[in-house]
Amino acid sequence: MENQSIEEKYGRQAAEAEAKAKTAESQIAAFQKKYALEKVFNAAGGRTDAADGVSFFDMFSEQLSSRFTLESDGSITVIDRQGDPVLDSETGKRISPEEYISSFKIHPVYGTFFKGVKGSGAGLAYGGTDANGQPVEDLGGLSTNELFMKAFGT
């Protein structure tokens, strides 16, 4: 009888410890995923400022982190709603997290989460979106002739 109660006691303690360990592992994995995602977001030109304790990355992550999975090597992979890697329709290769996140620069809402890429000269727009969330073209890489053609449509 006494042995049975001792086994039950340690059995419960072992089960509790195992549950705590699994919870800790899942929390660590969530932090690792968030860290990897934030590195890619920042490398893609994501805005790093925050207000009232909320950053642009926090909002981006809240909406889109389910589109990524953490790999065993600490990297992240873009996945679809079924959990399968997203493939480029032209090459058949996996879309990189950098490509996927950068694709949001022209999004009317998510585009405001990224720093603008400055053009050359006053009055030229930047890549991403303007203050009203409207997509704007990056003119920084165009030659003088190309800029003239864009401005005057000739």
Side-chain angles (χ1 to χ4, degrees):
M1 207 64 128
E2 192 175 307
N3 284 341
Q4 185 178 0
S5 66
I6 290 173
E7 285 181 32
E8 288 176 6
K9 174 185 171 187
Y10 286 112
R12 279 193 309 273
Q13 288 177 347
E16 289 172 9
E18 190 175 320
K20 285 181 181 178
K22 286 182 180 179
T23 300
E25 285 176 15
S26 66
Q27 287 176 334
I28 289 170
F31 286 129
Q32 288 173 326
K33 177 181 172 181
K34 189 170 183 175
Y35 173 71
L37 185 57
E38 189 166 12
K39 284 190 338 187
V40 175
F41 178 79
N42 290 339
R47 292 176 58 178
T48 56
D49 45 328
D52 300 323
V54 179
S55 70
F56 285 96
F57 171 73
D58 292 335
M59 292 187 293
F60 186 85
S61 175
E62 185 176 313
Q63 294 296 313
L64 295 165
S65 66
S66 64
R67 300 301 307 267
F68 300 90
T69 188
L70 181 68
E71 300 295 338
S72 59
D73 65 356
S75 66
I76 52 175
T77 299
V78 182
I79 57 172
D80 61 18
R81 298 198 192 289
Q82 288 74 39
D84 298 321
V86 175
L87 305 178
D88 184 304
S89 59
E90 293 179 16
T91 65
K93 294 182 180 180
R94 290 182 178 187
I95 293 177
S96 73
E98 294 82 4
E99 286 177 277
Y100 184 73
I101 290 176
S102 291
S103 72
F104 287 98
K105 288 182 177 182
I106 59 170
H107 188 276
V109 174
Y110 297 126
T112 61
F113 294 3
F114 295 90
K115 300 172 193 165
V117 180
K118 303 300 180 203
S120 50
L124 293 179
Y126 59 90
T129 59
D130 64 13
N132 297 319
Q134 297 301 310
V136 182
E137 186 177 359
D138 178 13
L139 303 175
L142 299 180
S143 70
T144 306
N145 288 340
E146 291 169 322
L147 285 171
F148 185 84
M149 297 293 279
K150 282 267 188 210
F152 298 103
T154 58

